[in-house]
Amino acid sequence: MECKSLFLLEPAQIRSFVENGYLVVPGLVSADETERLKRDTAFIARGGYPCETLKPLPATYSDADALRQILCIHQPHYISPVMREFVLHPPICAVLSQITAAHLPFWDGSVKCMQSMLFVKPPGFQGQGWHQDEIYIPTRDRSLIGAWIALDPATIENGCLWVLPGSHRSGYLYPQRPHSNPDEFDHGPESYGFDDSDAIPVEVEPGTVIFFNGYLLHRSLKNRGSIYRRVLVSHYMNSWSLLPWSIKDGERTANADRRTIIPVSGDDPYAWKGYEETSKDVWLRTCAANEAGSRD
């Protein structure tokens, strides 16, 4: 599965990703594609696909009614062919084939995907405190990478991504604790034990993709704006690494390997294991901003 030629990075961009832990690529997704993703977001929220979590809503409900309580939909590509298509988006996969494990000298560009997350984040909704994604999705070689597709302008006002450049370099996973700022952040814990004075906001236009390493410290603040901050972020890793996302009976940490994955570039060296069937459902994360409401 060769896709590198669809979007070639400059050597300086690859070095920047390895050194800083993130890379911003404007215009990688077209305006027509971002509009298609926004339409599908509303379709998912309205219960348009067979799914236990999201039942069909009455036709009288507006898209805003359907979206008003949703912070994030986990694994939308399990039910939506449109979301799956963007997990496999050729220019995104071309970039991934050049940077995912660029810190490994003999990596051959092979990449697989294990997760998608569709953030809606309406006005008034909280962000997420400092964290590193490898805490939640472990790899064997520090190759976890997020591809963060902006569907709306992402600004400081509406809760854009903040990053701490270079915080991935040591490969240290910082401890976590409950935060004490429920107005600013959602219910997840926050990482601590570091100086965040060099943190920078990453403000981007729709169609921009932010790629970031799984050890990079990042966060987002509350949406204080008047528009959504919709994002589709999918997570990928080096195909040669096992994925010990969970450990089943009879497995050890050394050989645990979850196979609910999609190869997106190069080879899948473990194809002989087959693939685990994915759920036909999604996990819905709502937000304290609208806990007084309900989804009928």
Side-chain angles (χ1 to χ4, degrees):
M1 191 183 301
E2 177 58 48
C3 57
K4 183 184 298 185
S5 61
L6 295 173
F7 194 95
L8 284 173
L9 296 172
E10 297 293 333
Q13 291 175 293
I14 298 173
R15 286 196 303 272
S16 178
F17 176 79
V18 172
E19 292 173 6
N20 295 312
Y22 74 103
L23 179 69
V24 180
V25 183
L28 200 57
V29 176
S30 72
D32 287 345
E33 288 175 319
T34 59
E35 287 303 313
R36 186 172 172 224
L37 281 167
K38 286 192 283 189
R39 289 195 299 271
D40 197 57
T41 298
F43 188 73
I44 294 171
R46 298 183 68 92
Y49 297 107
C51 174
E52 287 299 315
T53 307
L54 295 167
K55 298 294 188 181
L57 292 174
T60 54
Y61 273 50
S62 68
D63 289 350
D65 290 330
L67 295 171
R68 65 185 170 89
Q69 280 188 278
I70 298 174
L71 175 62
C72 181
I73 301 169
H74 288 250
Q75 305 290 33
H77 74 282
Y78 281 6
I79 62 172
S80 165
V82 175
M83 295 296 160
R84 183 182 173 90
E85 180 181 326
F86 280 88
V87 162
L88 290 157
H89 187 267
I92 291 175
C93 293
V95 174
L96 290 165
S97 74
Q98 298 167 77
I99 65 173
T100 298
H103 60 290
L104 301 175
F106 301 108
W107 174 59
D108 66 357
S110 296
V111 181
K112 58 188 175 185
C113 175
M114 83 298 291
Q115 176 174 267
S116 63
M117 301 170 71
L118 181 58
F119 284 91
V120 177
K121 198 173 181 180
F125 274 40
Q126 294 97 325
Q128 294 176 283
W130 286 116
H131 65 284
Q132 297 161 292
D133 290 346
E134 278 257 9
I135 287 179
Y136 305 104
I137 308 174
T139 68
R140 296 292 300 274
D141 59 0
R142 294 164 56 179
S143 66
L144 185 68
I145 184 171
W148 198 96
I149 308 171
L151 308 187
D152 300 297
T155 66
I156 292 175
E157 184 180 35
N158 74 348
C160 69
L161 196 68
W162 287 70
V163 301
L164 194 55
S167 56
H168 68 301
R169 293 176 190 166
S170 67
Y172 181 67
L173 288 175
Y174 287 90
Q176 291 192 304
R177 64 188 177 193
H179 63 76
S180 57
N181 195 351
D183 183 61
E184 192 70 57
F185 302 119
D186 70 5
H187 302 301
E190 65 175 2
S191 298
Y192 69 97
F194 51 88
D195 178 5
D196 66 358
S197 59
D198 291 330
I200 60 172
V202 188
E203 296 186 287
V204 297
E205 292 298 315
T208 298
V209 182
I210 307 171
F211 298 90
F212 57 97
N213 179 265
Y215 278 79
L216 185 77
L217 285 159
H218 59 287
R219 71 173 181 180
S220 64
L221 303 179
K222 181 177 180 177
N223 184 347
R224 292 180 168 82
S226 59
I227 64 170
Y228 293 98
R229 196 226 61 185
R230 285 165 289 194
V231 167
L232 175 63
V233 56
S234 298
H235 287 91
Y236 305 81
M237 63 188 288
N238 178 11
S239 293
W240 290 88
S241 172
L242 301 180
L243 175 60
W245 210 349
S246 62
I247 301 176
K248 295 183 176 180
D249 289 343
E251 290 183 329
R252 295 173 288 112
T253 304
N255 65 8
D257 186 27
R258 299 286 65 81
R259 295 291 296 167
T260 50
I261 57 98
I262 302 173
V264 303
S265 174
D267 297 322
D268 177 10
Y270 305 108
W272 57 271
K273 297 181 179 182
Y275 301 93
E276 297 172 15
E277 186 176 356
T278 60
S279 169
K280 302 303 181 186
D281 207 353
V282 297
W283 174 41
L284 191 65
R285 196 191 320 174
T286 56
C287 186
N290 265 346
E291 281 182 347
S294 63
R295 181 182 175 89
D296 298 325

